[in-house]
Structures are given as structure tokens and as C-alpha cells.
């Protein structure tokens, strides 16, 4: 059959794309050779029953449909060893046969937990079944068809959920060494910053789908959402507090108005909103929720105009600024998983103690009235767009 050395997998004629494996790997025709087989055909109904009874077992939905279609097409028994090479782990009791590397790789999920030690209190007992496997879409079949079938055959529980992420392209083209368009993550971080890179990669596309990278897209998104919106909001608020509140968090505030409570309520609800999205691996939606919160805070400051209130109603100005500092505290704490360094720089400027920055402190540790603050420092420097990109834009 058609065999991919890179994927260590056989493909049918109908699965080939332009003469290559669906993953883009080269394939070669392999003549018959002695092999041990796993009776995968016996697990077709059991796998379909698994997918039906646990609709969230495979995500995203498009991948689930892909796997179900493959299994419904009929499963053939699976070759699990070869005899034409000697590198690898031999089949127990038959050194002439070498197991495919991916079989050993899959079993590492449980052997790393000490399997076959399944006694109460063992690592296997504590941590298996896994709550989540996150895998590349090119190895989806191994994790959603072969792996659960192996576990069923051993009478072991299957993972609770398997999520397949997509691939990145660059400027609309597949990333490959031959095209010379490989993205070096070290250079990316040196050029744009580690938090900026993390933010872009997690927020630009739906997690699970393919995404296209371009320098211009990176620059535009970082400048818009981080420099212009979050960074500018932080700098405006801290500067106003520093100049007009005695270089300290407002010591006294008035009762909150309906507008104040509306904004604070959104901030208080942010943890639950973000948590639900992350639990479903919708990391881009978590980022969207954070971006929307910052947008609401920017609208609030523009409507309230604390720079005007400092002349007409200083007490109200202090209240508005305190509300904004609280919203920034919620936002920065919840941004820590995505942008840990930058989020903590914001928390530093808000005078939030180091030991009050966990999610548990969101609703229990408000910003301390009268806490001294320092002069505002920019967190997200604006990235200048190359001249040629400006011309194209």
C-alpha cells in the first residue's frame, strides 16, 4: 500500500492529495512484508458508539465529523509492525518485528504515569483518564481512532476529550523550508516581544482552524488591541491618578452610579466568561472577551471625561478613576495566562501586591485606597509599520 515514512502510516488511494499523504508527506508503494496486525475492524461499532455517547470527545466539530466519516467508511485491521528495518522497539517475543514508533508514543501517555501500576493512589489512578489531549490535525486519526481502540482492547478508560489544532500558513502559502518562509519563533519574539507574539497567535484565528501569519497582520493587531487600546488606557488612567490624586490610589470614593456598576459588573463576570471559553479550547474567544472589556472601559473613560471632572467635580473624578483602576485590575489578572509579563507590569502600576494576583483574589482583594503609585510607564510600545507596508495599506 501507499506508505508515508514521515507519518509512519498507510494511506488508501482515495486519501492521497496530488500524490501525497493528506499531511503533505511523500508516500511510497510498499510491497507485502510480514506484519502483526491489530484487529481494528472489531472496534468500528464501539468507536461510533463512543462518538455518539460523548459528542464532545472530539473537537472542533469539523474534526469530529471527519473522524466519524472515516470510521463509518469501514475499518481495516491495522499493521502495527514491520520487518524491513531494525531501528525501534521490537515486538515482545519476536525480535524480527519492530513496532511503529507511534504505537510506543501513544502508550507513553499511560506509561509515563507508571502503568501497569493502577493501584489506588498511583499516578495512573490520579491522572487517568486524561481530561484533554491537544494534538495537531495531522495526527487526529491516531488519537481518535487507533488510541481509543487500543485502550478499549486493554479494558482501559479513554481520554475525556481530544482537540485538534490547525496549521499556520505565511502570507497565504504553506510554511516549508523549500519555500524559505519558515517563521523562527526566537526571531519573532526578538522582533515583536514574547507577550505580543503570544497574544497574536492565540487571538488572531479560531483555535482549531488553520491560520495565516503575516508581519503586517501582527503589527496591526498588536498596535490596535494592545498599544492603542489596553496600553493607552492604562497609561491614561495611571497618569490621571498620579497627577490629580496625590500620587496614590484615590483614598475616598463616592457611591457608584449606574454606569459605574454596569462597567464593574462586566469586569466581575469576565472570569466566568473567559473560563467557559478556555474550557472549550476557544482561546480566541477568551481573547475576544478581554478585548471587549478593554473596549468598554475606553468608552467609559471617554464618556466620563475625568480630565474635565478634575475642574468641575474632583470627588466624582476620583470615583471614576478608581472604577477604571478596578477594571484594569480584573483585566490584568485575567490576562496573565496569555500575557504574563505585560499583565504583571500593569498590576505593578496599579499597586496590586504580588500575593494578590491570582484568580482567587479577583473578588476579594480590591485595589487598596491610598496605596502609593508611580509615574505611568508604557507597557506596549507601538510597532512601526515598514514603509512598503504603509504604501500597500
Amino acid at each position: 500500500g501507499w506508505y508515508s515514512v514521515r507519518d509512519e502510516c498507510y494511506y488508501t488511494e482515495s486519501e492521497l492529495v496530488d500524490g501525497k499523504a493528506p499531511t503533505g508527506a511523500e508516500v511510497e508503494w510498499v510491497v507485502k512484508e510480514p506484519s502483526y496486525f491489530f484487529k481494528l475492524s472489531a472496534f468500528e461499532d464501539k468507536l461510533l458508539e463512543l462518538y455518539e455517547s460523548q459528542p464532545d470527545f472530539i473537537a472542533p466539530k469539523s474534526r469530529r465529523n471527519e473522524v466519524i466519516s472515516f470510521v463509518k467508511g469501514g475499518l481495516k485491521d491495522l499493521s502495527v509492525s514491520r520487518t524491513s528495518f531494525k531501528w525501534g522497539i521490537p515486538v515482545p517475543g519476536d525480535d524480527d518485528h519492530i513496532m511503529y514508533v507511534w504505537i510506543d508514543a501513544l502508550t507513553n501517555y499511560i506509561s509515563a504515569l507508571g502503568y501497569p501500576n493502577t493501584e489506588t493512589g498511583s499516578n495512573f489512578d490520579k491522572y487517568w483518564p486524561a481530561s484533554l489531549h491537544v494534538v495537531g490535525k495531522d495526527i487526529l486519526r491516531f488519537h481518535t481512532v487507533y488510541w481509543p481502540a487500543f485502550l478499549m482492547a486493554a479494558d482501559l478508560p479513554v481520554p475525556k476529550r481530544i482537540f485538534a489544532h490547525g496549521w499556520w500558513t505565511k502570507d497565504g502559502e504553506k510554511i516549508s523550508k523549500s519555500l524559505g518562509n519558515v517563521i523562527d519563533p526566537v526571531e519573532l519574539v526578538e522582533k515583536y516581544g514574547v507577550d505580543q507574539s503570544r497574544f497574536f497567535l492565540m487571538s488572531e484565528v479560531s483555535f482549531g482552524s488553520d491560520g495565516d501569519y503575516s508581519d503586517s497582520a501582527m503589527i496591526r493587531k498588536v498596535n490596535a488591541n494592545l498599544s492603542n487600546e489596553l496600553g493607552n488606557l492604562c497609561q491614561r488612567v495611571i497618569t490621571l491618578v498620579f497627577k490629580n490624586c496625590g500620587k496614590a490610589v484615590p483614598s475616598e470614593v463616592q457611591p457608584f452610579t449606574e454606569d459605574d456598576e454596569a462597567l464593574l459588573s462586566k469586569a466581575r463576570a469576565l472570569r466566568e466568561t473567559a473560563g467557559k471559553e478556555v474550557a472549550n479550547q476557544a482561546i480566541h474567544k477568551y481573547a475576544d472577551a478581554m478585548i471587549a472589556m478593554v473596549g468598554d472601559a475606553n468608552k467609559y473613560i471617554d464618556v466620563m471625561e475625568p480630565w474635565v471632572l478634575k475642574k468641575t467635580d474632583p470627588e466624582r473624578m476620583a470615583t471614576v478613576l478608581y472604577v477604571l483602576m478596578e477594571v484594569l485590575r480584573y483585566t490584568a489578572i485575567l490576562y496573565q495566562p496569555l500575557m504574563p509579563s505585560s499583565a504583571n507590569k500593569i498590576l505593578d502600576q496599579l499597586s496590586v501586591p504580588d500575593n494578590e494576583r491570582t484568580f482567587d483574589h479577583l473578588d476579594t482583594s480590591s485595589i487598596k485606597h491610598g496605596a502609593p503609585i508611580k509615574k505611568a510607564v508604557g507597557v506596549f510600545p507601538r510597532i512601526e509599520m515598514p514603509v512598503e507596508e504603509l504604501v500597500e495599506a
Side-chain angles (χ1 to χ4, degrees):
W2 291 108
Y3 180 74
S4 165
V5 175
R6 191 184 78 183
D7 298 345
E8 290 205 340
C9 181
Y10 282 96
Y11 293 100
T12 63
E13 187 80 35
S14 62
E15 291 180 290
L16 301 184
V17 180
D18 296 329
K20 295 183 178 182
T23 61
E26 299 289 341
V27 294
E28 59 184 38
W29 184 260
V30 176
V31 297
K32 291 182 179 180
E33 64 177 311
S35 177
Y36 282 98
F37 284 81
F38 173 76
K39 199 170 181 59
L40 185 63
S41 58
F43 292 87
E44 184 175 323
D45 291 340
K46 292 181 180 179
L47 287 168
L48 290 173
E49 183 181 341
L50 168 65
Y51 307 149
E52 180 67 26
S53 63
Q54 299 182 36
D56 292 332
F57 177 68
I58 303 172
K61 187 176 180 180
S62 60
R63 306 298 179 202
R64 178 177 183 271
N65 295 338
E66 175 187 325
V67 171
I68 291 175
S69 177
F70 173 75
V71 175
K72 283 185 174 180
L75 295 178
K76 297 180 180 180
D77 292 342
L78 184 66
S79 171
V80 295
S81 72
R82 294 189 67 182
T83 56
S84 57
F85 58 87
K86 293 298 181 182
W87 184 90
I89 297 176
V91 171
D94 193 343
D95 290 347
D96 290 335
H97 286 257
I98 301 299
M99 292 188 294
Y100 287 111
V101 171
W102 52 263
I103 294 177
D104 178 56
L106 287 170
T107 57
N108 278 337
Y109 286 123
I110 56 176
S111 63
L113 297 175
Y115 183 84
N117 178 14
T118 61
E119 295 178 1
T120 301
S122 66
N123 282 337
F124 182 87
D125 178 59
K126 291 178 184 177
Y127 302 116
W128 194 263
S131 298
L132 174 69
H133 282 335
V134 178
V135 303
K137 67 176 185 178
D138 53 325
I139 53 175
L140 180 64
R141 185 183 305 175
F142 295 89
H143 285 80
T144 58
V145 180
Y146 306 157
W147 180 224
F150 294 164
L151 291 167
M152 289 175 181
D155 198 26
L156 294 172
V158 301
K160 296 177 182 178
R161 181 174 169 89
I162 297 171
F163 189 94
H165 63 75
W167 293 339
W168 282 95
T169 57
K170 184 178 181 184
D171 298 319
E173 293 185 313
K174 181 182 177 181
I175 295 175
S176 70
K177 291 181 179 179
S178 60
L179 290 175
N181 64 348
V182 173
I183 301 171
D184 185 331
V186 174
E187 292 180 2
L188 195 69
V189 166
E190 289 176 349
K191 188 174 183 180
Y192 299 117
V194 62
D195 281 356
Q196 289 86 339
S197 298
R198 288 164 61 111
F199 173 79
F200 176 83
L201 295 174
M202 291 293 98
S203 65
E204 178 67 4
V205 299
S206 299
F207 193 61
S209 301
D210 292 344
D212 186 60
Y213 173 86
S214 69
D215 287 323
S216 59
M218 163 76 91
I219 293 171
R220 288 190 179 94
K221 188 159 188 68
V222 168
N223 281 346
N225 295 145
L226 299 185
S227 299
N228 296 352
E229 295 170 8
L230 177 56
N232 188 45
L233 175 66
C234 180
Q235 192 148 4
R236 291 168 80 189
V237 171
I238 298 300
T239 297
L240 285 166
V241 172
F242 185 82
K243 288 183 176 180
N244 302 294
C245 301
K247 300 180 181 180
V249 177
S251 55
E252 293 184 10
V253 296
Q254 299 172 332
F256 293 141
T257 66
E258 186 176 328
D259 289 332
D260 300 340
E261 287 291 357
L263 186 66
L264 288 168
S265 293
K266 288 181 180 179
R268 293 174 189 133
L270 198 55
R271 177 183 182 181
E272 182 179 358
T273 301
K276 286 180 179 178
E277 302 299 1
V278 172
N280 289 315
Q281 294 77 59
I283 301 176
H284 59 291
K285 291 185 178 180
Y286 150 51
D288 287 344
M290 303 300 294
I291 292 168
M293 184 72 255
V294 173
D296 289 337
N298 273 305
K299 292 175 185 174
Y300 173 87
I301 192 173
D302 288 341
V303 170
M304 295 302 161
E305 298 183 314
W307 48 90
V308 174
L309 290 172
K310 72 177 182 180
K311 298 178 181 178
T312 61
D313 193 344
E315 290 79 12
R316 175 59 187 156
M317 175 204 69
T319 303
V320 167
L321 292 175
Y322 185 80
V323 168
L324 285 164
M325 292 184 80
E326 266 294 274
V327 170
L328 280 169
R329 182 182 69 87
Y330 273 94
T331 303
I333 288 176
L334 287 166
Y335 249 141
Q336 287 178 109
L338 195 57
M339 303 185 295
S341 177
S342 300
N344 277 282
K345 287 179 181 178
I346 293 174
L347 292 169
D348 287 343
Q349 296 191 61
L350 294 171
S351 293
V352 176
D354 291 344
N355 61 354
E356 294 183 4
R357 299 183 180 188
T358 69
F359 290 177
D360 289 339
H361 292 98
L362 283 168
D363 297 321
T364 62
S365 304
S366 300
I367 290 181
K368 304 295 188 296
H369 294 290
I373 65 167
K374 296 179 180 180
K375 190 175 181 180
V377 178
V379 179
F380 301 104
R382 184 173 177 79
I383 304 171
E384 293 304 319
M385 185 82 77
V387 175
E388 59 271 20
E389 296 288 350
L390 291 172
V391 173
E392 290 178 9

